Amino acid sequence: MRDLNVTLIQSDLHWQSPGANLAMFEEKIWQINSGPDLIILPEMFNTGFSMDTAALAEPMNSTSFRWMKQMAEQTKAVITGSMIIKEGKKCFNRLIWMRPDGSYQSYDKRHLFRMAHEHYHFDQGAEKLIVQLHGWSLCPMICYDLRFLVWSRNQTMEDSLEYDLLIYIANWPAPRVNARDTLLKARANENLSYCIGLNRVGKDGNHIDYLGHSAVIGPKGEVLCDLGENESIQTIKLSQNKLQEYRAKFPAHKDSDTFTID
């Protein structure tokens, strides 16, 4: 299997302004020098973490969705990030996994952040998403999902594991950033997987501060890349061979418990 080049874009966001955010991220994407396989944007990358679904929710195949499709086609990379999507009377914090050929998959956030009343404004997702990219299996999730280890569990499929890379896109506030740093390492270690956490920086319209700390964690829980607390664009190469070698030497997944999630 080939190595995977992943670009993380840690950025401030324009509050509730899709047009400004799309223009900003387009400019940042064209600053990427290496040819990434995957470009990761934050949670609600086009609006910030807003509960104003009435004003900001977009149907599928609207402006932000079409922008992702255009960017993926032009960069020849998968682009992922979440936005507020409406379907009938329901609204979802929906992650879009957009491929260069225009095909896509989506994941609706399972764990809604009740401390910000997200559960009053959004509908809960029901299914995990596992996607394929250049021989890799990836599991993308959203922010608060990070706290729920059962939902994130890398289940054993016969003699292999469900995914190779776990991704959390986020708007994770500054007061709890140390918990996030710890949980990212734990999710990587317990799941014998690479783990990426992509967070935003800056202050949103609710005067909430974000410190970034976007990071790439190896399967032993080691920090491979840390974007710090400022805006940053970084590309990292992940080795499938090193991952498989570690799993072969430390096959803890063969002793894992089986379970189902209701």
Side-chain angles (χ1 to χ4, degrees):
M1 295 182 183
R2 56 170 285 186
D3 293 342
L4 197 67
N5 293 310
V6 183
T7 298
L8 289 71
I9 301 182
Q10 177 172 281
S11 178
D12 198 351
L13 299 176
H14 298 282
W15 181 243
Q16 297 185 341
S17 182
N21 284 309
L22 298 185
M24 175 192 67
F25 278 114
E26 184 166 349
E27 182 177 344
K28 290 179 181 295
I29 286 170
W30 291 121
Q31 293 176 25
I32 302 170
N33 295 320
S34 55
D37 301 303
L38 171 63
I39 299 170
I40 306 177
L41 307 179
E43 176 185 21
M44 293 194 191
F45 71 90
N46 61 335
T47 61
F49 190 63
S50 174
M51 300 299 105
D52 192 357
T53 55
L56 299 172
E58 299 183 22
M60 293 292 283
N61 202 32
S62 61
T63 302
S64 298
F65 179 92
R66 293 197 301 271
W67 176 87
M68 292 185 77
K69 186 174 182 180
Q70 179 183 4
M71 288 294 97
E73 179 183 10
Q74 292 178 356
T75 60
K76 308 302 180 187
V78 170
I79 295 182
T80 193
S82 84
M83 62 184 78
I84 304 172
I85 295 292
K86 60 182 177 183
E87 288 186 350
K89 294 183 179 180
K90 294 184 176 182
C91 284
F92 299 94
N93 184 347
R94 178 168 292 175
L95 177 145
I96 306 295
W97 185 266
M98 182 63 71
R99 302 183 182 90
D101 65 2
S103 65
Y104 70 93
Q105 289 176 265
S106 63
Y107 165 73
D108 295 328
K109 188 176 182 181
R110 168 77 168 185
H111 299 94
L112 303 176
F113 190 57
R114 67 176 57 249
M115 282 66 83
H117 300 154
E118 188 179 12
H119 61 306
Y120 291 141
H121 301 276
F122 291 85
D123 290 88
Q124 184 183 47
E127 296 182 1
K128 287 171 66 172
L129 175 66
I130 305 294
V131 291
Q132 306 299 316
L133 180 59
H134 301 315
W136 290 66
S137 294
L138 305 91
C139 180
M141 293 192 177
I142 304 174
C143 202
Y144 194 40
D145 287 331
L146 176 61
R147 287 188 177 270
F148 301 92
L149 73 166
V150 175
W151 184 246
S152 302
R153 187 67 178 178
N154 200 356
Q155 298 205 48
T156 302
M157 314 290 288
E158 296 181 351
D159 197 39
S160 62
L161 285 163
E162 192 175 27
Y163 59 77
D164 305 306
L165 171 58
L166 185 58
I167 300 169
Y168 297 96
I169 60 171
N171 275 211
W172 194 287
R176 293 179 294 279
V177 74
N178 289 332
R180 178 178 173 276
D181 294 346
T182 299
L183 290 169
L184 287 173
K185 294 178 182 179
R187 295 296 89 85
N189 208 324
E190 70 199 9
N191 291 303
L192 302 176
S193 169
Y194 289 106
C195 181
I196 292 178
L198 190 281
N199 195 26
R200 65 161 293 182
V201 296
K203 186 188 294 287
D204 70 14
N206 293 319
H207 307 290
I208 296 174
D209 292 309
Y210 301 89
L211 290 180
H213 284 221
S214 299
V216 180
I217 312 297
K220 299 178 185 179
E222 71 277 27
V223 178
L224 302 178
C225 175
D226 185 344
L227 274 62
E229 298 184 356
N230 299 311
E231 290 196 315
S232 180
I233 303 171
Q234 291 195 33
T235 300
I236 186 168
K237 180 179 290 187
L238 304 181
S239 170
Q240 181 67 244
N241 286 338
K242 289 182 179 179
L243 175 63
Q244 297 305 331
E245 288 172 2
Y246 176 65
R247 287 175 172 177
K249 292 179 180 178
F250 194 79
H253 60 285
K254 293 184 178 181
D255 300 311
S256 63
D257 302 305
T258 58
F259 61 91
T260 58
I261 299 176
D262 296 330

